[in-house]
Amino acid sequence: MTSHPLPGAFAMVDIPGPTLDADTAAHLRKYGVRSVCLFGKNIQSAAQLRTLCADLREVLGEDALIALDHEGGAILRPDFWPFAPSAMGLGAADDVALTQDVSAALARQLRSVGINWNFAPVLDVNVSPANPVIGERAFGADAASVIRHGRAALARYAAGGVAACVKHFPGHGDTRVDSHLALPRVDKTRAELDATELAPFRDLLSVTPAVMTAHIIYPALDDTHPATLSRRILTDLLRREWGFEGVTVTDSMGMKAIDDNYGRGEAGVLALEAGADLVMALGRREAQVETLEDIGTALQNRLDRREMGISLERLHRLAQQYPAEADASLNPLDDAELFRRAWAQGLTAYRDPVAPKPGSRVTLIAHRQPARETVSEAGADAETLARELGQVYEVVLHPFETPDGIDWPAARAAGHPVILATTARHRHPALIGVQPDLHIALYNPYAVLDVDASALLAYGFRPEARAAVLGWLRGEVEAEGRLPFGVK
């Protein structure tokens, strides 16, 4: 451990493509970067990903931290492994052993290629049905459920040799603004925060290797700075009051909540001054360089050397405890049946849905082509849903571009049962009060609060989720999940 570290020791960056090109490798070496976050642009196949991780390890060194958002549900980048259910699907199943098994399998996927840090589990308590960024990424709407399943996930990531990272501290579950797009506030008292948002983080810190910060202002904790830039939150609360000794990493500093209000370089320094160990300096090369250069300058004349040395020790300890080494003996395809069962176990009935008789003719209303939005992948398209539903029914498809363009009289004209499939990340006001004969919620589960119909909730749109829905429509699968949020 050097007494004069390069600025990259305190910054995590992303890289442009599926291979580590010479220019990017030189950039990482120049600034002494030890941590990289991977995205869909970096992933093509298991073999390619294993090679990329090996190349990164060679450049990043013995303290390499290679991270991925690998939560389950819509937050899964590789498309060549079986898909794990979303956290809320597991919360609906409410089977702690199942959450353990799924988390262990997610860890195996990452270990098989050499990724040693997973930005999961989500410990947000999703108390706001209007939350535009968390939703089914949370285990549920009550702290006790989040704690129960969060503990199960953390235990199996640790046993599987992958560092977990809980997020988004102090809690992103009661926001109506996406911090990718703007700076949210949570106006609750400290007592209210203690009972809900803070509870999972506080209760699970002893088994948590790393915490990711939220770009949110909590006036009861700090009325000026978002948590990512707040010393009162990251140092006074997390370190001194609660005694957390693990790694603290910021969420992406390229999100508009930070970038539009503080700027990249200065924000990175402010986060380190607040008590973060690692700044997530993602995005275009110029933005990375701005952050790295400003951190480098601040290391000379502004940042506390003792605190920076402690941060280095924390990061070193994390990387040594969870080495970025691929295990070729692990085969993620072996977990396909586990994930199939897990998705089916989470299926939830809302208002006693009844499936049309198999073999009958039905009208399907579905989004023609859902779009990918910020952190989440795109939902299933209408043609795919119609083709799969065609295994059970004779399907007449009515695709729409946006929900306000649905021609309900035309859809009902033939007199067949009308099935509405919602596959979008966000709820839409045009669906408030509509009355299909059956609603299949294949993404945002809170859409059932808008549509005036009985529904089947799958908590996701992945192939395994759709197979579980088909099983229910055929009468082969029961919807035994528990709705993980209240209905007024």
Side-chain angles (χ1 to χ4, degrees), residues 466-477:
R466 305 196 306 266
V469 169
L470 291 180
W472 180 83
L473 291 170
R474 292 190 182 103
E476 301 166 352
V477 174

Side-chain angles (χ1 to χ4, degrees), residues 144-210:
S145 176
V146 173
I147 292 168
R148 188 164 60 250
H149 291 280
R151 188 181 303 278
L154 285 165
R156 288 308 174 93
Y157 284 127
V162 171
C165 182
V166 300
K167 58 188 185 185
H168 306 80
F169 175 75
H172 211 316
D174 199 15
T175 56
R176 300 190 178 210
V177 173
D178 185 344
S179 51
H180 290 87
L181 307 175
L183 180 59
R185 292 172 60 95
V186 174
D187 290 299
K188 288 185 171 180
T189 66
R190 174 64 191 265
E192 289 172 325
L193 292 173
D194 279 334
T196 306
E197 276 80 1
L198 296 178
F201 296 99
R202 181 188 62 236
D203 285 17
L204 298 177
L205 277 187
S206 64
V207 290
T208 294

Side-chain angles (χ1 to χ4, degrees), residues 13-349:
V13 304
D14 59 328
I15 61 174
T19 60
L20 182 59
D21 61 274
D23 179 63
T24 301
H27 168 64
L28 299 178
R29 287 192 178 98
K30 175 181 177 181
Y31 290 101
V33 172
R34 302 173 185 176
S35 309
V36 165
C37 185
L38 300 179
F39 292 90
K41 64 186 177 181
N42 308 122
I43 298 170
Q44 293 178 334
S45 70
Q48 166 270 327
L49 190 52
R50 191 174 295 111
T51 298
L52 175 61
C53 289
D55 292 344
L56 283 169
R57 282 197 305 277
E58 185 175 343
V59 171
L60 301 177
E62 66 171 10
D63 285 349
L65 291 167
I66 304 173
L68 188 67
D69 287 297
H70 203 58
E71 298 173 16
I75 318 297
L76 292 168
R77 312 307 174 201
D79 61 6
F80 40 80
W81 291 331
F83 293 102
S86 63
M88 193 167 281
L90 293 172
D94 204 15
D95 179 343
V96 169
L98 183 67
T99 299
Q100 290 176 331
D101 290 345
V102 167
S103 301
L106 284 168
R108 283 192 289 272
Q109 289 181 340
L110 299 182
R111 284 273 289 117
S112 73
V113 294
I115 295 171
N116 62 338
W117 202 3
N118 189 10
F119 290 150
V122 171
L123 293 189
D124 302 316
V125 183
N126 199 76
V127 297
S128 172
N131 197 320
V133 68
I134 303 301
E136 87 295 340
R137 299 170 65 192
F139 288 111
D142 69 281
S145 176
V146 173
I147 292 168
R148 188 164 60 250
H149 291 280
R151 188 181 303 278
L154 285 165
R156 288 308 174 93
Y157 284 127
V162 171
C165 182
V166 300
K167 58 188 185 185
H168 306 80
F169 175 75
H172 211 316
D174 199 15
T175 56
R176 300 190 178 210
V177 173
D178 185 344
S179 51
H180 290 87
L181 307 175
L183 180 59
R185 292 172 60 95
V186 174
D187 290 299
K188 288 185 171 180
T189 66
R190 174 64 191 265
E192 289 172 325
L193 292 173
D194 279 334
T196 306
E197 276 80 1
L198 296 178
F201 296 99
R202 181 188 62 236
D203 285 17
L204 298 177
L205 277 187
S206 64
V207 290
T208 294
V211 169
M212 181 184 290
T213 69
H215 304 327
I216 301 172
I217 293 177
Y218 307 80
L221 303 177
D222 186 330
D223 59 5
T224 304
H225 303 99
T228 297
L229 309 182
S230 171
R231 190 167 179 87
R232 289 171 62 182
I233 294 174
L234 299 190
T235 296
D236 296 346
L237 174 63
L238 186 61
R239 299 288 186 198
R240 293 175 181 160
E241 184 177 333
W242 288 356
F244 181 57
E245 297 181 352
V247 166
T248 303
V249 57
T250 74
D251 206 340
S252 170
M253 302 298 270
M255 293 161 63
K256 290 181 179 296
I258 296 296
D259 206 13
D260 284 2
N261 293 284
Y262 301 93
R264 290 295 184 90
E266 175 64 10
V269 176
L270 288 172
L272 294 175
E273 285 185 322
D277 299 308
L278 192 65
V279 173
M280 202 180 293
L282 308 181
R284 63 192 187 281
R285 177 70 63 83
E286 312 89 82
Q288 293 183 16
V289 169
E290 179 184 346
T291 302
L292 291 162
E293 291 286 350
D294 281 17
I295 290 174
T297 300
L299 285 170
Q300 301 302 316
N301 57 27
R302 180 172 166 185
L303 292 167
D304 185 285
R305 289 195 176 188
R306 186 189 67 83
E307 290 188 354
M308 293 300 97
I310 294 172
S311 287
L312 284 180
E313 287 297 332
R314 292 190 191 111
L315 292 163
H316 171 73
R317 193 162 58 241
L318 186 70
Q320 293 304 302
Q321 186 174 354
Y322 301 97
E325 297 172 352
D327 185 344
S329 71
L330 300 174
N331 182 9
L333 298 181
D334 291 343
D335 292 310
E337 175 58 23
L338 165 64
F339 289 159
R340 184 205 65 75
R341 176 169 55 85
W343 281 101
Q345 206 168 321
L347 283 180
T348 304

